[in-house]
């Protein structure tokens, strides 16, 4: 159901492509522009979004509790979690690198979890406050998702470069696998989200909104009888 004066693509007999945005008549199998498979908007797709979201959240917990990096030297073995590694970088004066690791590995994943949950709840209730703002938020989440892997890339590079036998060696910790799986699951959650639901929610009328003053009364509404 859409607001008065607004016709959705479904009511107009059209289906939009989720990849390029091209609109085609309902029932068309593939997009004429990019060749992607077309499918109608379905709220049941949110089940996949929540499933991947929950899997990513479960993996994110051990990714922050277990060590991400294990460094072995002549004096002993040292392990660092994501937050511990950022703090150690800051203590050694590498504030810029510490900020990048903290933002990319802690702030961005938490922000992605919050943004995906917000978008899913908003479209499920069909009472979105603004389609343009929500669509920009979804595009940001979809774009920055891959940059959350920076910690995994750093561990992989260090593990391949710093292998000096018994003098020093660096190996990835158990948190590296959990973090990589968390990032992958959240990316799948964002990819499973149908952005067309945003416009469907923003076009839905807000039944709880109060009637504006001076609204027109029905034609057959006469004066209310007085009770003496």
């Amino acid at each position: 159901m859409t607001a008065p004066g607004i016709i959705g693509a479904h009511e107009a007999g059209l289906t939009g492509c989720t990849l390029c945005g091209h609109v085609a008549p309902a029932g068309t199998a593939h997009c004429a522009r990019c060749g992607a498979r077309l499918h109608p908007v379905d709220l049941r797709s949110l089940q996949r979004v929540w499933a991947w979201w929950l899997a990513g959240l479960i993996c994110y917990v051990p990714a922050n509790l277990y060590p991400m990096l294990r460094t072995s030297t002549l004096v002993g073995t040292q392990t660092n979690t994501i937050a511990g590694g950022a703090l150690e970088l800051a203590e050694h004066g590498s504030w810029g690198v510490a900020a990048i690791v903290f933002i990319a590995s802690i702030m961005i994943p938490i922000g992605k979890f919050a943004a995906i949950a917000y978008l899913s709840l908003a479209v499920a209730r069909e009472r979105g406050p603004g389609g343009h703002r929500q669509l920009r938020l979804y595009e940001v989440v979809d774009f920055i998702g891959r940059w959350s892997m920076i910690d995994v890339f750093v561990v992989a590079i260090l593990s391949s470069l710093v292998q000096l036998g018994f003098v020093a060696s660096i190996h990835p910790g158990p948190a590296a696998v959990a973090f990589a799986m968390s990032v992958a699951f959240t990316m799948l959650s964002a990819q499973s989200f149908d952005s067309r639901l945003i416009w469907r929610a923003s076009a839905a009328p807000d039944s709880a909104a109060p009637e504006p003053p001076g609204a027109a009364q029905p034609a057959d509404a006469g004066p209310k009888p007085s009770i003496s």
Side-chain angles (χ1 to χ4, degrees):
M1 183 179 182
T2 56
I6 299 178
I7 300 177
H10 179 72
E11 288 79 5
L14 301 173
T15 301
C17 178
T18 56
L19 294 182
C20 67
H22 183 70
V23 178
T28 306
H30 295 86
C31 176
R33 177 184 294 173
C34 64
R37 182 177 176 272
L38 298 179
H39 56 87
V41 181
D42 190 0
L43 276 174
R44 290 176 295 180
S45 62
L46 291 178
Q47 297 177 3
R48 295 192 298 271
V49 175
W50 283 114
W52 291 120
W53 183 90
L54 183 59
L57 184 62
I58 292 174
C59 292
Y60 188 69
V61 175
N64 286 271
L65 296 179
Y66 290 99
M68 173 70 73
L69 199 66
R70 182 180 291 109
T71 305
S72 300
T73 60
L74 292 175
V75 296
T77 301
Q78 182 181 1
T79 59
N80 292 105
T81 61
I82 296 177
L87 290 175
E88 186 171 351
L89 287 171
E91 291 176 356
H92 285 80
S94 301
W95 293 97
V97 180
I100 292 175
V101 172
F102 181 78
I103 293 173
S105 302
I106 297 179
M107 298 299 295
I108 289 180
I110 293 177
K112 284 178 57 181
F113 284 123
I116 294 174
Y118 162 73
L119 291 173
S120 300
L121 291 174
V123 300
R125 295 175 181 175
E126 294 191 349
R127 287 180 58 184
H132 288 283
R133 292 194 299 270
Q134 292 179 354
L135 185 62
R136 282 196 293 266
L137 177 61
Y138 170 73
E139 290 175 347
V140 169
V141 170
D142 187 45
F143 174 76
I144 67 175
R146 67 204 73 178
W147 295 103
S148 301
M149 281 285 191
I150 187 171
D151 231 20
V152 180
F153 293 155
V154 171
V155 171
I157 293 173
L158 290 177
S159 300
S160 59
L161 293 180
V162 185
Q163 297 296 336
L164 303 178
F166 64 92
V167 178
S169 62
I170 295 179
H171 300 280
V177 178
F179 189 82
M181 293 177 62
S182 177
V183 174
F185 288 150
T186 51
M187 290 178 64
L188 289 172
S189 179
Q191 291 292 330
S192 301
F193 183 83
D194 194 341
S195 58
R196 296 174 298 178
L197 290 171
I198 296 176
W199 301 109
R200 187 174 179 179
S202 61
D206 191 352
S207 57
E211 186 176 359
Q217 298 293 331
D220 57 348
K224 297 181 179 180
S226 60
I227 301 177
S228 59

